[in-house]
Amino acid sequence: MGVTRRQLLWASAGIGAAGALAACSSGSGGSTDAKDSSSASQQPRSGGTLTVGALGKASSVTRDPHGTQSNESDYLILSLVYDTLAVPGEKTNTAPRLAASWKPSEDLKTWRFTIAEGAKFHDGTPVTADDVVWSLKRLRGTSAGASRLPGIKPESITAEDAKTVVLVSDYANAELPLLTRLTTFVLKKDTKDDQIASAPGTGPFKLDWFRDGNARLVRNDDWYGGKVLLDAIEVRIFESPQAMANALLAGQIDVASNVGAVAARTAETRKDLQILRRPNDMAMPIVMRTADGPFADPRVREALRLTVDRDAMVKQVLSGYGTVGNDILGTGDPVFAKDIPQRGRDLDKAKQLLAEAGFDTSKTYDLITTEDIAGLAESATLFATQAREAGVKINVVKQDSKVFWDATWLKAPLYTTYWGTNDSVVFFASKTMVSEAGQNEAGWREPTFDEAYRKAIGAADAAERTKGLHQLQEIEFAKSGYLLWGMADGIDLAGKAVRDLPGLPGYGRVQLEKTWLAR
């Protein structure tokens, strides 16, 4: 299983797999409910301990910020202790964090990142370019390193001076800073592997203690990013959304992350709780392998897309907490191609395409899934029922998570996947669809897509880049191996005392330095 794959799932996940906190608005505050519960006379104040429930299994705990993180709880803890170079922004897709600024060369291949003034590790040591270079090379050296920093070779990461890090891309890339938002956690240079668990970070919180996936983090009063309001954050690990929701209802935690639609329905009658809804937070596509096998013919893939009753999927699988998808990843991007006509259900056309492709409808095809997140296995079952109406017999196979990520993901002819991020078109193109992508889930090799991708990200002019990204989405819509039937809302529950939970998607959800408690 690719390390970055798992990190991205937790860093940016929606229901059942997301990073910690978000709201239904796209601003910096909490949800509409959270804002209404906070009167204008209440001013943000310091103090208090926020207790956050997060999903995970004690058997899968990791302490390495560059390692395999299959637990949401681990990623939340690491994201509060360690900073990335950039983060999702309120006004732009990419905003400064540990890197205060960046500047490209004229050809968009060489980027210089300047470290934030006053950035220090928790032990008081100043952060230097050498620390960042060492950390990025360590990140790049992982098994999924090529997909973490696409187009950046280890030798192309250097320090120009004490405060300047230079990244040289193999090709022109106007969107390179976006790639530094999720997993570019910075550690001190030459930190040994057996010291990682106690290595000081640079983030707004410092690790106080860690026990079996649970942790207490205390405020970093010397954080370069500004004043941190909470005294501490306690992260408690839960193996199921239901157990986490019950803990919130019992008053044992302040926030239950990603509890799903069932818990949200229950909480609707509780005036002492906030329902924090993140529209279109998680992509739950079905992957059809394009490189070989029964779904290699694009007519077959188109047929399967036409068998789906998307409205029914959203209504039944997501209990209405979601929206219909159109087979294009990156729905949260400002340049998402909303003008591409919505693909609907057409069983007659599906049957015609299957016949033209010579698809063997006498066989039964396995659709492999997991129960990693709420609704995933259910989506596979409902899709199988719908596909049968077009003459396609599908057998749903549920696998243990470890088996799925080790043996099925990137390899099987037909399987479900999920991306806990509503990120940019470029993000998904670079991670999962260009021919050389390290996490090319469908084994897709499409020269016109590769060409459109390079042309789009290499465009210095924003309007030209937007035009190129639109072409990219047109190709994806027509030919890719994805069947994206819907986008699930992310749903968190919080007590009424919680204020200013972050409202940004992805990694932005773990930016809790401005969250406070009105009690």
Side-chain angles (χ1 to χ4, degrees), residues 297-304 306-307 346-359 361 389-392:
D297 191 316
R299 292 171 295 185
V300 174
R301 300 197 297 274
E302 174 68 6
L304 290 187
L306 292 172
T307 66
D346 189 335
L347 293 177
D348 290 337
K349 181 66 179 295
K351 293 175 182 178
Q352 177 187 338
L353 288 169
L354 292 171
E356 291 176 358
F359 185 77
T361 55
E389 294 181 52
V392 180

Side-chain angles (χ1 to χ4, degrees), residues 21 45-52 76 80 204-209 215-221 228-235 254-255 498 512-513 515-517 519:
L21 308 164
R45 59 174 181 252
S46 298
T49 297
L50 181 74
T51 306
V52 181
L76 171 58
L80 294 170
F205 292 88
K206 300 184 289 186
L207 184 66
D208 183 16
W209 53 257
R216 177 179 171 84
L217 313 173
V218 296
R219 179 173 59 221
N220 176 13
D221 288 315
V228 180
L229 296 176
L230 293 165
D231 286 338
I233 294 177
E234 289 189 2
V235 178
D254 297 307
V255 177
V498 182
L512 302 182
E513 60 272 8
T515 299
W516 57 287
L517 292 168
R519 66 185 182 203

Side-chain angles (χ1 to χ4, degrees), residues 84 261 326 349 363 491:
T84 49
N326 200 27
K349 181 66 179 295
K363 292 183 178 180
I491 303 168

Side-chain angles (χ1 to χ4, degrees), residues 66-104:
H66 298 154
T68 301
Q69 293 152 15
S70 58
N71 287 339
E72 171 188 346
S73 52
D74 292 334
Y75 194 88
L76 171 58
I77 294 165
L78 293 169
S79 297
L80 294 170
V81 173
Y82 300 95
D83 280 318
T84 49
L85 294 182
V87 293
E90 294 181 19
K91 297 181 180 179
T92 61
N93 259 6
T94 306
R97 188 73 164 198
L98 189 57
S101 62
W102 42 81
K103 184 177 181 180

